Amino acid sequence: MSSDAALRQQAERHADRQEWAQATACFEALRARHPGDVDVLLQLSYIASLAGQHRAAHAHALAAAQAAPTRPDEVAQLISRLRTFNEVPALRACLARLGPPARVPVPLLLAFAGQFSNLNLHEEALALLDEARRREPGHPSVLVARGQALVYLGRFAEAEAELRACVARAPQVSRAWWLLAGLKTQTPEANDLAAIHAQLTRPQVPREAAIELAFALHKVLDDLGRHDEAWQALMLACRAKRALLDYRPEDSVALVDALTALPLPPAAASVRPADGPVPIFIVGMHRSGTTLLEQLLHGHPQVQGLGELYDVTVAMREATDHPCRGPIDLTLVQRAAAGVDFATVGRHYLDGLAWRLGPETCFTDKLPSNFLNIGFIAQALPQARILHLRRDAMEVGFSNLRELFHEAAPYSYDLQELGGFYRQYERLMAHWQRVLPGRILDVDYAALVRRPEAVLREVTAFCGLDFTPAMLDIARSRRGVSTASAVSVRQGIVARQTPKWAPYATALRPLAQALGRA
């Protein structure tokens, strides 16, 4: 065995034992011998993240990008690493180095397209998927990825055609059935009930596939008005998903305790004039109407809708040198409380977004879970406006319960945990309103859908903008929407007379009790 191979084996043994310092030393020795070895740099980046060293992990990822890899296996790893650190210009440069899309292997086209979709760059993603489809017209992974991109772009007829082609060729592709179920209301005359049920009951269905199929089954049964069966399918889906998640309700309580204890300078409660584009943060619980409000604001000629961004989290990870999972965690809050230069956080946030911005005077950052980051936003971005969507707790709760979020919202698959998290959200928002008077505008969802012009006049005034009637013409917007509301938001402003959860009221009593609404 060569000395390099022995050193790598030693590094991997240390990593398996979570001996990060020793593993790092071994890979640094390999790096000294082979300074431009992309795999070594990527391994150093992974280990630094596991060791809780965000800045070192970031630096190693950038060094790997600067080494300009072209081997498909190295490029695939690098794509994921660059997205972790929101290094979009480096991600694009990585793709450009590979030459025109016609020369890029199809698996890499799919990988880049997936990351571009996550960044709300749906047209760029679709261009890569078009090339993948040209070369692999019947490949199920290409068909389902292209179908999903078309859903985000609101091109529903084309999306359905791609997804139907996928399930005709590979009916076991559960993601396609899940997407099809959400595309439109299914009817007794035209539905996928039998096909989804057949896939869900076949032998040895992979767990993740079974979850997607069960959520799809719930949606179809709900559309058909078969509510008892729909509830059984939903509970099957939620139990299966919850079993895969590492979520402890007490962690959410501890996090909110820490956030409410954060010291905030009096200046954080004041909005200061901006010398550049003004961020408008739209926050709240998932499924509270944030996508609708952003789509309406995007209709203003001076507002650019950017979708769900993790740039606040990226800036706070850098400031605290902590690679937290999700938008925030307790360690990040504790390090922030120990001292952070929030002016630097604000600059990092705006610099990281510079490549996205157009000529508009304002832009929206619509990550609902940024309600957890309001204390940081208020200090880092004194020019920012913060809009908080409020919606009936039972409507939000049921809508969360029946949505498959994949990585987000781990609290949303159990009635008691969902209710408990909502109570913590209410507690935290009450705190922010108390300590940051005037920085946050509450926007009532029910009022927004019933009196949109009146509410939008209040919203635009709060944001320093004039109301324009074009905002109400939501149907004309062609911007991509990559949230759970990608389909419903294209239907315009809809005020329901009967809440969606009403047929499930008896089964939802534990949620009502957990919410304190019983």
Side-chain angles (χ1 to χ4, degrees):
M1 179 184 296
S2 70
S3 59
D4 282 359
L7 197 53
R8 181 177 285 274
Q9 276 195 2
Q10 187 179 353
E12 291 170 352
R13 282 197 298 271
H14 286 307
D16 288 342
R17 298 173 190 149
Q18 299 186 11
E19 297 167 352
W20 310 125
Q22 296 91 325
T24 299
C26 292
F27 276 116
E28 286 288 7
L30 282 168
R31 184 185 188 184
R33 298 179 189 180
H34 310 283
D37 189 306
V38 174
D39 181 64
V40 169
L41 292 166
L42 289 170
Q43 294 308 315
L44 281 167
S45 181
Y46 286 125
I47 289 170
S49 286
L50 292 167
Q53 300 166 352
H54 177 83
R55 294 175 194 148
H58 188 184
H60 289 311
L62 287 177
Q66 289 161 5
T70 56
R71 271 179 37 193
D73 59 329
E74 292 179 341
V75 172
Q77 289 190 69
L78 180 59
I79 291 169
S80 176
R81 282 276 86 187
L82 291 175
R83 179 66 183 95
T84 295
F85 303 104
N86 230 33
E87 288 289 349
V88 182
L91 184 66
R92 283 173 157 162
C94 180
L95 175 61
R97 274 196 305 271
L98 300 177
R103 289 171 46 190
V104 178
V106 168
L108 288 184
L109 290 174
L110 289 171
F112 277 110
Q115 296 302 347
F116 286 156
S117 275
N118 290 337
L119 290 160
N120 305 320
L121 302 173
H122 304 298
E123 295 286 359
E124 291 184 44
L126 186 61
L128 298 178
L129 293 169
D130 286 347
E131 172 58 26
R133 196 186 194 286
R134 184 186 69 79
R135 282 151 57 190
E136 298 277 358
H139 196 297
S141 295
V142 173
L143 292 169
V144 75
R146 193 167 181 275
Q148 186 155 19
L150 290 164
V151 169
Y152 292 155
L153 289 166
R155 293 162 57 177
F156 300 138
E158 295 171 79
E160 182 172 10
E162 288 295 89
L163 296 169
R164 293 286 175 201
C166 177
V167 296
R169 188 177 183 90
Q172 74 277 11
V173 179
S174 56
R175 177 64 56 88
W177 292 115
W178 177 67
L179 290 166
L180 283 167
L183 262 180
K184 58 187 178 183
T185 300
Q186 305 212 2
T187 66
E189 297 75 28
N191 64 75
D192 294 315
L193 183 60
I196 294 171
H197 188 268
Q199 289 304 312
L200 188 57
T201 55
R202 63 187 171 87
Q204 298 180 323
V205 181
R207 185 178 294 185
E208 291 284 4
I211 292 168
E212 290 182 326
L213 290 165
F215 272 105
L217 184 64
H218 161 74
K219 168 61 167 60
V220 175
L221 288 165
D222 180 73
D223 285 349
L224 298 176
R226 294 163 61 171
H227 296 120
D228 289 344
E229 296 168 87
W231 181 259
Q232 293 171 17
L234 180 58
M235 289 298 97
L236 172 67
C238 287
R239 284 192 296 269
K241 180 65 175 178
R242 180 63 184 90
L244 298 179
L245 299 172
D246 179 19
Y247 173 71
R248 302 191 313 159
E250 58 267 30
D251 291 343
S252 294
V253 176
L255 178 62
V256 173
D257 285 345
L259 287 168
T260 55
L262 276 176
L264 291 176
S270 301
V271 177
R272 293 212 297 267
D275 56 3
V278 174
I280 301 174
F281 289 90
I282 304 175
V283 306
M285 284 287 289
H286 288 287
R287 312 296 293 142
S288 61
T290 56
T291 300
L292 174 62
L293 180 58
E294 181 181 49
Q295 199 79 336
L296 291 164
L297 279 171
H298 181 72
H300 194 288
Q302 290 303 318
V303 179
Q304 180 184 9
L306 296 185
E308 296 190 352
L309 308 177
Y310 284 86
D311 292 67
V312 170
T313 292
V314 168
M316 286 303 299
R317 287 172 180 168
E318 192 75 15
T320 59
D321 194 21
H322 176 60
C324 66
R325 292 178 59 192
I328 195 172
D329 69 7
L330 183 59
T331 299
L332 187 146
V333 177
Q334 291 169 338
R335 292 191 181 187
V340 160
D341 181 351
F342 281 104
T344 300
V345 172
R347 285 195 299 274
H348 187 158
Y349 173 82
L350 292 172
D351 289 347
L353 283 172
W355 64 272
R356 289 185 182 269
L357 300 180
E360 294 85 356
T361 59
C362 301
F363 65 88
T364 57
D365 182 335
K366 188 213 77 71
L367 184 67
S369 56
N370 266 335
F371 78 84
L372 296 162
N373 286 316
I374 285 176
F376 304 144
I377 292 167
Q379 296 176 81
L381 296 158
Q383 72 275 38
R385 271 60 170 185
I386 304 169
L387 305 175
H388 168 225
L389 260 294
R390 301 186 62 174
R391 190 178 183 185
D392 175 78
M394 285 296 291
E395 290 186 9
V396 168
F398 181 60
S399 192
N400 271 259
L401 191 71
R402 67 197 301 257
E403 186 60 51
L404 177 55
F405 288 104
H406 294 292
E407 300 301 323
Y411 50 81
S412 66
Y413 303 100
D414 177 272
L415 295 170
Q416 283 77 21
E417 290 175 352
L418 175 54
F421 184 87
Y422 190 95
R423 296 293 290 272
Q424 295 307 311
Y425 147 77
E426 284 188 311
R427 178 164 74 100
L428 182 59
M429 286 309 307
H431 169 75
W432 294 140
Q433 288 282 20
R434 187 166 56 252
V435 299
L436 296 169
R439 285 304 304 267
I440 306 163
L441 177 68
D442 284 338
V443 180
D444 183 74
Y445 176 79
L448 178 64
V449 297
R450 288 176 170 81
R451 298 182 290 105
E453 180 174 336
V455 173
L456 284 176
R457 286 185 179 277
E458 183 182 5
V459 167
T460 50
F462 178 80
C463 295
L465 299 165
D466 293 325
F467 171 77
T468 175
M471 300 168 67
L472 297 171
D473 189 9
I474 196 171
R476 71 185 177 90
S477 177
R478 293 293 177 263
R479 67 182 289 266
V481 177
S482 52
T483 74
S485 302
V487 175
S488 61
V489 78
R490 308 283 182 186
Q491 299 168 355
I493 302 170
V494 179
R496 289 184 178 276
Q497 298 304 310
T498 303
K500 190 70 178 172
W501 59 267
Y504 304 94
T506 300
L508 286 168
R509 281 176 184 164
L511 175 61
Q513 292 169 351
L515 289 169
R517 269 64 172 180

